[in-house]
Amino acid sequence: MSDLVNSGNANAPLLEVRGLKKYFPVRKGLFSRVVGQVKAVDGLDFTLGRGETMSLVGESGCGKTTAGRTLLRLLAPTAGQVLYSPNPEAAPTDIFKLPAAEMRALRPDLQIIFQDPYASLNPRMTVGNAIAEPLLVHKVVSASEVEDRVAGLLERVGLRPDVANRFPHEFSGGQRQRVGIARALALGPKLIICDEAVSALDVSIQAQVINLLKDLQDEFGISYIFIAHDLSVVRYISDSVAVMYLGRIVESGTAQQIFDDPQHPYTRALLSAIPHADPSKRGERIPMTGEIPSPIHPPSGCHFHTRCALAEDRCRSEWPASVALGAGHQAACHLVQSAGTEEA
Ligand code: SF4
């Protein structure tokens, strides 16, 4: 099985995901018989380097959020391996095989920030207590030290320490996301999954939060998996990008390869939809017909053929293998030409 994304130190990546699958059973009738499967994530492979950012992008319903939650075991996986190496010298651990107690011990390393931090913060708990909670649960600091630690975390994410006594509803969306970041940062994580973390924010606030995430990455060497439907958002934070469609990665490579030399028709269509303030940079919008199909009954052959303007007969019957385009750039399309003889 090949790695579809190689985001840096190939000898000792922080995370190596192999064949990740997450299916949900479809049940029907009085006895809730299983009559099908929703293949939300259908065989993802990628690696994530230390201190690097990989973005998983695609329209709503492509499986990117399910992938992020499954690899942290917030959802039970159907198949695959997630090899995690907190220490480059040590042998990697398969997260999916860890007993519950060992998984709990690993939780501080693996954090997640959600699109709506309001939903993940207890409305009756002050933000200071919300940030203190994981510190006390995991016994990172004593009760006498926790106030100072919370104040330091609030300052580090750009909030005044005295806001610790306020409740979530007293903050703006951007401030609440900073609280979410402080809470994720509290336990010294090695990986943070940012699940549409800036999607609900105004453009200027998005830029501030992205800059904060980049600063924290530089300071603490955190790796990010950045999940987003909007490619323009991920451009400036990503080392590598994987484009998902109906549960599979259809193109992956470095951010420069994906943004400057996209090869898959779906990637090109997504990129053509990004608005540019500068009219000279506006290209022709590539149309995509219809909505993303249901993953319960994905189209035969290339899943994208029902919306692809370039589809030909074999696209309706043959799933395209991923073609190596050179230097870690790969795309799964019958029309893409391999850079060499190697096919992934
Ligand atoms: Fe379009 Fe065919 Fe390529 Fe799929 S394989 S993206 S349908 S041209």
Side-chain angles (χ1 to χ4, degrees):
M1 195 175 296
S2 67
D3 291 329
L4 281 176
V5 176
N6 187 340
S7 52
N9 184 353
N11 294 327
L14 181 78
L15 208 66
E16 187 168 355
V17 176
R18 295 182 185 164
L20 179 68
K21 292 185 182 178
K22 176 62 189 173
Y23 297 173
F24 295 97
V26 179
R27 296 177 189 276
K28 240 184 179 177
L30 190 59
F31 300 105
S32 293
R33 274 193 313 118
V34 175
V35 294
Q37 303 276 354
V38 177
K39 296 182 177 179
V41 178
D42 199 16
L44 300 196
D45 303 288
F46 61 83
T47 59
L48 174 65
R50 293 164 203 285
E52 297 194 343
T53 301
M54 192 203 79
S55 290
L56 270 180
V57 299
E59 293 162 288
S60 297
C62 72
K64 55 194 187 301
T65 287
T66 303
R69 290 174 193 206
T70 305
L71 65 88
L72 290 190
R73 273 179 59 176
L74 300 178
L75 294 170
T78 302
Q81 288 181 304
V82 176
L83 303 175
Y84 172 61
S85 306
N87 175 352
E89 276 83 45
T93 301
D94 185 351
I95 288 178
F96 289 171
K97 290 203 173 132
L98 285 179
E102 287 180 42
M103 189 64 216
R104 263 198 306 280
L106 208 62
R107 283 278 171 226
D109 279 16
L110 311 169
Q111 296 291 308
I112 186 163
I113 303 171
F114 297 99
Q115 175 175 2
D116 179 6
Y118 196 51
S120 58
L121 292 169
N122 183 339
R124 285 184 288 277
M125 192 183 259
T126 64
V127 300
N129 285 339
I131 297 168
E133 189 180 43
L135 289 167
L136 295 171
V137 167
H138 289 276
K139 299 186 173 59
V140 175
V141 292
S142 65
S144 61
E145 296 165 326
V146 74
E147 201 174 315
D148 283 349
R149 181 65 75 91
V150 169
L153 285 162
L154 284 168
E155 273 189 309
R156 186 61 199 83
V157 300
L159 295 170
R160 290 196 323 270
D162 61 320
V163 303
N165 295 322
R166 296 196 193 159
F167 290 89
H169 73 268
E170 297 177 70
F171 292 82
S172 68
Q175 288 171 327
R176 273 201 293 269
Q177 200 52 287
R178 287 174 192 271
V179 172
I181 293 169
R183 198 173 138 95
L185 200 60
L187 298 174
K190 294 197 163 44
L191 168 69
I192 299 180
I193 294 190
C194 304
D195 185 3
E196 300 277 12
V198 297
S199 303
L201 305 176
D202 292 344
V203 173
S204 62
I205 308 294
Q206 279 183 349
Q208 291 172 17
V209 173
I210 285 176
N211 285 337
L212 171 63
L213 290 169
K214 286 184 88 160
D215 289 348
L216 295 173
Q217 184 170 58
D218 291 344
E219 190 173 340
F220 300 111
I222 304 165
S223 301
Y224 296 125
I225 293 180
F226 206 88
I227 293 170
H229 64 273
D230 180 352
L231 268 85
S232 62
V233 166
V234 308
R235 179 162 202 155
Y236 298 104
I237 197 168
S238 307
D239 295 291
S240 59
V241 177
V243 181
M244 282 186 72
Y245 190 77
L246 274 187
R248 295 180 180 179
I249 294 175
V250 295
E251 182 164 8
S252 60
T254 64
Q256 190 175 10
Q257 287 165 340
I258 297 297
F259 283 96
D260 295 349
D261 187 28
Q263 293 295 310
H264 195 282
Y266 180 58
T267 313
R268 290 183 173 170
L270 289 179
L271 287 169
S272 78
I274 296 177
H276 282 285
D278 177 355
S280 68
K281 291 194 175 154
R282 277 182 213 148
E284 197 179 328
R285 177 100 187 236
I286 299 171
M288 266 193 295
T289 51
E291 297 293 312
I292 190 165
S294 163
I296 302 177
H297 301 294
S300 58
C302 172
H303 289 349
F304 187 54
H305 83 252
T306 54
R307 303 170 74 196
C308 180
L310 304 176
E312 43 188 51
D313 280 350
R314 65 175 167 161
C315 302
R316 294 175 187 92
S317 56
E318 289 173 42
W319 171 256
S322 205
V323 175
L325 301 163
H329 189 186
Q330 301 188 44
C333 170
H334 289 307
L335 303 187
V336 167
Q337 299 294 319
S338 169
T341 52
E342 186 192 352
E343 282 210 349

